[in-house]
Amino acid sequence: MASLSAICAIRELSYEIIQYLSPSDIFSLLLTCKLFYPVCYQSLWSTLRLYDKAKINDRGRICHKLSRLINARGVDNTGIQHIRTVLLHRYSLTCTNGFVRSGFIHVLEELLKNGKLNLKHLDLRYNLSWHTDSEKEELFGFLRHLREYSQRRQPDEFSMAVTANPISLEPGLHIQILDIGKITSLDLEMDWWYGGSDNDERPHHHHIYTNGLIPGEESDSDFTDPGDSTGDLSDEEDWPCSTSDQPTALDGSRLTGLQIDTSQQNTRLAGILTHLLSQTTNLRFLTIRSIRDAGRQYTDFKLSPPLRSLQTTIKKLPRLHTLTIQGKFFHPSFFVAPPESAKVVSYDGLVSNRWLRGFRECQFTNVTHLKIKFRKDIQERGKGCRDFRRRPVNYVQVSGLLQCNIEGSDNIAPDLELCLLRANPQLGEMSKRTLSKRAPGLERPV
């Protein structure tokens, strides 16, 4: 058996061992074992979360503590040089957050500028706001140095996970600030607060809420890299899922008078998304979700050229591994097929028969993990359409699934589980049992 000193002498082996420990356990090991101290110290600094995950509105306390530490000891006497991943707070790029007020934004900026920080990954919520020109320059100065740093790195040397309202990434000044080609994870928050068409969009505030978010809204997304394989998705609870199982904006549960929905006519938003996604050549994880969807009655769907271009752009993403669509994406009839590179696909929302026809004919080439949650039309928002009737799908083209989970299909496609079972005999036993329980007339797993 190898001695402790022999194990610690092999740095790669030491790192592999502590990967199984929590940060608190690593810290305890650091305090009790001199041999493991160097590798534990480096590991604790390797990922820097600049906010308390349990207290999302912590006003940047961690940033203030780090700034005081640096002022007292200097940059070289801390572990900042070991930082490889930085996780920013959702309000980090606002002038009132601790990341800016503490001055820690300038610490990172200087380290990036002078090449003293070997940053590998940045989790960024793109939510800019400022009150004065000097505050604007402060925020954009950091982003410019971040872009310059990113452009000096190859895609395998630096990556970004970005969460944003796509309106804030409109072509022009904002989209030029980020190195879009380095984005590997993109979480797009579709804000349907406004009517959705080119003519009835609500005005955008360019100082306080440049991305359309309102103060106090509790929604945070932490980047987790599932890796290149699907081995960590063998348990269905690990799949992409909505943040809550209770009635939400996805169900259209707001008790207000319904208005005519014209989101499908929003050619501006479709163009922004197409332009953005056409540049994300290294994108591996794409999530598109609704954060607000007021009660609106759907009209019959017409697939416009901008929406067709958007469909094509998503289908051509060369490296996408995981596609997740939650809530309204222009219209319940707007079906988006995954690219051939995709392995994991998840849909969650209200859909129509036309959407199901698109799903039925899609082969889902190379997709091994599929999850669909059909939401109930509890407000009868599809009452104005001819395409929201319960009817069988009869067959599906997808045939390579290893894991599959379907919820709520009895509301619109009662035979979907049976079709999937017949077309995918290689499904895992758990998926077979789950689908068999919901498939009418099927007494035992296929």
Side-chain angles (χ1 to χ4, degrees):
M1 180 180 293
S3 65
L4 189 60
S5 59
I7 293 175
C8 294
I10 306 174
R11 184 62 64 92
E12 293 78 10
L13 181 59
S14 301
Y15 278 119
E16 182 65 25
I17 292 173
I18 66 172
Q19 294 304 312
Y20 295 94
L21 303 179
S22 66
S24 59
D25 290 336
I26 295 175
F27 184 68
S28 298
L29 182 60
L30 174 146
L31 295 176
T32 57
C33 182
K34 290 183 179 180
L35 293 174
F36 268 99
Y37 182 92
V39 68
C40 289
Y41 184 77
Q42 186 169 343
S43 176
L44 288 172
W45 277 95
S46 62
T47 298
L48 187 63
R49 182 186 296 275
L50 294 178
Y51 60 94
D52 185 344
K53 190 176 181 180
K55 301 176 181 178
I56 198 65
N57 292 323
D58 63 355
R59 304 295 183 185
R61 292 189 182 93
I62 294 177
C63 294
H64 286 285
K65 290 180 179 179
L66 284 169
S67 293
R68 289 195 294 268
L69 175 66
I70 292 168
N71 290 333
R73 302 182 60 180
V75 171
D76 295 335
N77 292 320
T78 66
I80 287 181
Q81 68 272 18
H82 299 305
I83 295 174
R84 298 295 179 264
T85 300
V86 174
L87 308 178
L88 291 175
H89 189 284
R90 64 166 300 168
Y91 296 119
S92 289
L93 298 183
T94 65
C95 59
T96 58
N97 186 260
F99 182 55
V100 177
R101 285 190 168 181
S102 67
F104 195 69
I105 185 174
H106 299 301
V107 174
L108 286 186
E109 184 178 342
E110 286 299 315
L111 291 172
L112 291 172
K113 180 180 177 181
N114 299 327
K116 294 183 177 180
L117 184 63
N118 187 19
L119 192 63
K120 297 289 188 181
H121 181 77
L122 179 70
D123 192 323
L124 172 68
R125 181 176 287 267
Y126 193 79
N127 180 23
L128 287 169
S129 73
W130 60 87
H131 297 291
T132 66
D133 289 340
S134 61
E135 291 170 345
K136 174 184 176 181
E137 180 57 33
E138 194 171 21
L139 294 169
F140 277 82
F142 169 73
L143 290 173
R144 280 194 295 270
H145 284 107
L146 176 63
R147 178 181 174 86
E148 292 170 359
Y149 174 86
S150 176
Q151 290 177 329
R152 296 194 300 266
R153 299 293 188 273
Q154 296 298 319
D156 60 340
E157 296 175 326
F158 177 75
S159 64
M160 289 189 295
V162 176
T163 301
N165 185 318
I167 294 295
S168 67
L169 296 174
E170 187 172 8
L173 177 63
H174 292 278
I175 205 169
Q176 294 172 4
I177 289 293
L178 298 176
D179 186 1
I180 304 298
K182 297 301 194 306
I183 296 177
T184 55
S185 177
L186 185 59
D187 187 344
L188 296 173
E189 298 178 326
M190 307 291 286
D191 185 356
W192 300 109
W193 178 285
Y194 52 84
S197 72
D198 289 334
N199 297 323
D200 64 358
E201 291 179 90
R202 63 187 176 93
H204 300 286
H205 302 281
H206 296 288
H207 294 289
I208 306 296
Y209 317 123
T210 54
N211 77 335
L213 296 175
I214 58 175
E217 184 184 356
E218 294 298 330
S219 172
D220 194 67
S221 173
D222 293 316
F223 173 78
T224 302
D225 188 345
D228 295 340
S229 67
T230 55
D232 56 341
L233 293 169
S234 57
D235 295 325
E236 295 180 359
E237 60 266 23
D238 293 330
W239 294 1
C241 59
S242 58
T243 55
S244 174
D245 231 13
Q246 301 301 317
T248 64
L250 300 182
D251 300 291
S253 56
R254 180 177 294 185
L255 299 178
T256 59
L258 295 178
Q259 304 175 45
I260 297 298
D261 185 275
T262 55
S263 303
Q264 61 178 306
Q265 302 171 19
N266 194 329
T267 58
R268 172 180 169 234
L269 181 55
I272 291 171
L273 288 170
T274 301
H275 181 71
L276 171 65
L277 293 174
S278 65
Q279 300 179 69
T280 55
T281 54
N282 291 294
L283 190 64
R284 294 187 51 77
F285 307 97
L286 174 61
T287 298
I288 304 171
R289 57 192 174 93
S290 300
I291 59 173
R292 272 194 298 267
D293 182 8
R296 297 180 184 277
Q297 193 172 52
Y298 295 116
T299 56
D300 289 329
F301 180 70
K302 292 182 174 62
L303 185 58
S304 63
L307 289 181
R308 188 176 291 111
S309 296
L310 180 56
Q311 279 183 328
T312 303
T313 300
I314 294 176
K315 196 170 183 179
K316 288 184 176 180
L317 290 171
R319 299 185 180 182
L320 193 71
H321 175 275
T322 301
L323 173 65
T324 303
I325 297 179
Q326 298 177 353
K328 187 180 74 170
F329 189 33
F330 289 95
H331 193 278
S333 294
F334 185 51
F335 175 74
V336 176
E340 291 188 1
S341 60
K343 301 290 186 182
V344 182
V345 177
S346 176
Y347 301 103
D348 182 344
L350 178 67
V351 303
S352 72
N353 300 120
R354 179 167 179 174
W355 188 96
L356 279 168
R357 287 196 295 272
F359 171 82
R360 182 181 64 186
E361 302 299 331
C362 182
Q363 294 185 355
F364 289 92
T365 307
N366 298 320
V367 172
T368 57
H369 294 68
L370 175 66
K371 181 176 182 180
I372 308 177
K373 184 169 185 176
F374 296 96
R375 298 280 176 167
K376 292 183 179 180
D377 190 5
I378 61 177
Q379 281 194 342
E380 295 187 320
R381 294 194 293 166
K383 192 174 183 179
C385 298
R386 296 166 291 179
D387 203 28
F388 286 81
R389 291 186 290 271
R390 187 176 184 269
R391 59 177 61 175
V393 296
N394 297 320
Y395 68 91
V396 292
Q397 295 283 358
V398 56
S399 60
L401 299 179
L402 300 178
Q403 298 288 337
C404 182
N405 188 21
I406 308 294
E407 296 182 45
S409 64
D410 54 326
N411 299 318
I412 187 169
D415 66 334
L416 181 58
E417 286 90 344
L418 182 58
C419 292
L420 288 167
L421 281 167
R422 287 174 173 170
N424 297 271
Q426 72 285 353
L427 278 169
E429 289 303 318
M430 182 181 295
S431 294
K432 285 184 177 180
R433 286 196 298 270
T434 303
L435 294 177
S436 298
K437 290 179 182 178
R438 298 169 181 167
L442 201 64
E443 297 180 352
R444 59 183 179 84
V446 174

